[in-house]
Amino acid sequence: MTDLVTRRPKTGLRPNSASPAGICSRVRRCISRRLLLPASALALLMALLVPAGADDGNLLILPFAVHSDRDMTFLKNAVTDMMSSRLAQSDRIRPLSRETARKAAAGATGFSVKDAARIGRAHGVDYVVCGSLTILGDSISTDARVVDIARNRMALSFSDTGKNQGDVIVHINRLAEEIRSRVFGETIAGGILSGAAPAADAPAAVAESRRHPEKLWDGAARGDGTAMRTIAPAGALAGDVWRSRFFKTEIRGMAAADIDGDGQTEIAFSTGKGIRVFRRTDDRFVRVAEYLKAVTDQFVGMDAADINGNGRAEIFVTNLHSESQNLRSYVLEWDGRRLRPILERENWYWRVIRPDGGEPVLLGQKRGIHDILTPGIVRLEWMDGAYVPGRGDSGEAALPPWVTVFSVNRGNIQQNGLSTPAAMDKSGRLRVLDTDGSALWESPKPLGGSMTYLAYPSPATATLAGYTEKDHFYLPVRIIVRDADGDGKTDVLAVNNTDAANLLLQRTRLYTSGHVESMTWDAFGLRMAWRTREISGAVSDMALADIDNDGEDELVVSVIKKVSSVLGAGKSFIAAQEIPRGAAAAPSPATARGR
């Protein structure tokens, strides 16, 4: 199975004699000329000069895997030789020979990070470089990882794409530059990057401004699924980023849960053909299962949680019949070999919430004969082979009639130990609600922004030849209520997509970019604590889940880059960002900006 990936370009590099790396180089040259210092003085000098995490080291370049529809084996040796020659120009890097790398690899290619670390330890090197080339027609993608053996972590992840195979030379130059600057602390000519942290955010912004938006989310993104070092502007969340390859569809909904009961988290998402389930395994995004929809199915939303308690999360698909517009929702479950429906033709809109990150709660709302959403939300429980309204009071009964199952969540929002609901209204404003349904707080500007809608006839619409034009009721993107960054305070996470027409077109949404905002409660209401970088496209759904199964939840989003039309298929991807513990507050208390 070949990964499809997306990447970046190049600058030249020259050792800077005034930098710490350059000074270290001169010290070594003095040593080589036998101008020796006392051992203790030399050790102290070197400790002061070498940036943290930028030690000299032996480096092993493993043969790159080549994915191509024709024989391109010669590139394996060519990549190793080109990279070795470029890295050998540094006084601080000692690449091992190609023959040593060939013996270390024992004929294998396509190493995972764990494999690279194991080989590095076995051969006593400090760093290992592994990667792959993907050639599709004339285009080429280069992906690489640098593993720090002593610290047992990934020191660098790199990805780049080109329109012709000759661009691999550009990629290798860029990769060598990244290794020398980011791993070994050398300085790039012109001072764009250095071993020390920049005094201001401007240098990083300049470097990023030359890159295409598709390759950016907090400074890095790649298609085959490896987390990367990131560069975030002031106020934006800074954490490692992972991105799937592009899918030729619109991903309108997404959910993360243990679908097959193996203890690992999978991602289920909608496509134009049905529901697909993928798992992130090392640096790959692997398909686990797919369920093809009926021709008349019209997707509305999806969630996943183990509500029936059998150890496998059910996938709740809210679905309409495209012609009658009646609800035809269904539930999928893994049977050990495939996804199969355990319930069909259900008259429920579904949403799963996890107040304060606790046990999942399945909420339901009915569709009426004349109302697209009947007022009233109920908590559903599994009983006698069906999901039925629960007997206990879950607090949803007291919600105002305008609140929908798609717009609400609850938790300890006010940090007072009480479960408080929050909901998006029809205009997109986020409201924190009191026990009587009144607003304790309301966002000054709209948030959310979705492409998914329910169509309904309106007296104001025109009728022509028996066809009645319909208005659109746009469903909000879910909100999440829980402590997302581990600072002990409940966060409210909301999507904020930017509409090019400023929502003036009632039946059309033209989203150009979006981000996720995290808000916490203070004396005045909710204020922004942090946000992700602006993402090109529309954020269609999100989740907090441990998709790399490392014990820490990531912020996961689905992004629609291109809407399906008569001109071609849609284009979407899944992305995830690590959330630093106790993420720093944004510089402004503003809770939202216009869409």
Side-chain angles (χ1 to χ4, degrees), residues 212-243:
H212 193 279
E214 287 186 359
K215 299 178 183 178
L216 280 170
W217 188 27
D218 277 336
R222 66 175 292 165
D224 68 2
T226 300
M228 284 176 245
R229 180 172 304 180
T230 62
I231 303 171
L237 179 66
D240 286 351
V241 174
W242 166 90
R243 192 185 73 190

Side-chain angles (χ1 to χ4, degrees), residues 327-382:
L327 270 172
R328 293 290 185 269
S329 298
Y330 56 91
V331 184
L332 301 175
E333 191 173 66
W334 179 258
D335 68 359
R337 296 185 300 109
R338 60 186 177 88
L339 291 174
R340 67 175 183 85
I342 60 172
L343 284 176
E344 296 181 281
R345 301 174 67 86
E346 293 287 296
N347 186 31
W348 286 109
Y349 297 103
W350 283 312
R351 176 63 84 216
V352 172
I353 64 172
R354 292 175 172 82
D356 292 315
E359 292 298 313
V361 176
L362 177 62
L363 302 180
Q365 188 171 8
K366 292 282 189 178
R367 184 183 179 99
I369 298 176
H370 301 293
D371 297 324
I372 55 174
L373 285 156
T374 301
I377 298 172
V378 297
R379 178 172 179 165
L380 300 175
E381 298 175 355
W382 178 257

Side-chain angles (χ1 to χ4, degrees), residues 60-63 96 100-106 108-109 111-130 147 149:
L60 176 64
I61 304 169
L62 295 175
L96 273 64
T100 302
R102 185 185 63 80
K103 291 179 179 178
T109 56
F111 302 93
S112 68
V113 173
K114 291 181 180 178
D115 291 335
R118 174 179 51 79
I119 294 172
R121 286 191 293 270
H123 289 78
V125 297
D126 302 296
Y127 298 92
V128 174
V129 181
C130 59
V147 181
I149 304 302

Side-chain angles (χ1 to χ4, degrees), residues 19-38:
S19 70
I23 296 171
C24 291
S25 296
R26 295 207 307 276
V27 170
R28 289 188 199 88
R29 285 195 292 272
C30 287
I31 295 172
S32 67
R33 293 168 187 159
R34 303 181 185 278
L35 300 178
L36 299 178
L37 294 172

Side-chain angles (χ1 to χ4, degrees), residues 37-200:
L37 294 172
S40 58
L42 177 61
L44 177 60
L45 178 61
M46 295 304 293
L48 292 173
L49 293 178
V50 179
D55 302 326
D56 295 8
N58 297 319
L59 183 140
L60 176 64
I61 304 169
L62 295 175
F64 275 37
V66 178
H67 306 297
S68 177
D69 56 0
R70 53 194 181 278
D71 186 11
M72 305 291 287
T73 308
F74 72 93
L75 279 177
K76 293 181 183 179
N77 292 337
V79 167
T80 302
D81 291 342
M82 285 189 292
M83 198 181 313
S84 293
S85 65
R86 285 152 179 76
L87 293 176
Q89 297 173 18
S90 169
D91 292 327
R92 308 186 58 192
I93 308 173
R94 296 180 292 276
L96 273 64
S97 67
R98 188 215 302 172
E99 183 62 19
T100 302
R102 185 185 63 80
K103 291 179 179 178
T109 56
F111 302 93
S112 68
V113 173
K114 291 181 180 178
D115 291 335
R118 174 179 51 79
I119 294 172
R121 286 191 293 270
H123 289 78
V125 297
D126 302 296
Y127 298 92
V128 174
V129 181
C130 59
S132 64
L133 304 175
T134 302
I135 301 167
L136 300 175
D138 292 329
S139 64
I140 186 167
S141 297
T142 305
D143 304 284
R145 280 89 62 197
V146 180
V147 181
D148 185 332
I149 304 302
R151 295 177 177 84
N152 195 31
R153 65 175 177 85
M154 184 153 39
L156 176 70
S157 184
F158 172 90
S159 55
D160 207 347
T161 57
K163 295 183 178 180
N164 61 74
Q165 295 167 22
D167 285 341
V168 69
I169 299 174
V170 177
H171 300 174
I172 297 306
N173 289 341
R174 177 64 176 167
L175 174 56
E177 170 197 290
E178 294 270 346
I179 292 172
R180 292 181 65 175
S181 62
R182 296 197 176 202
V183 179
F184 290 89
E186 295 187 1
T187 302
I188 296 177
I192 296 174
L193 288 173
S194 66

Side-chain angles (χ1 to χ4, degrees), residues 39 109 162 232 248 289 421-422 440 444 472 518 534 566 592:
T109 56
K248 293 182 179 180
L440 292 169
H472 294 171
S518 175
E534 204 71 14
V566 294

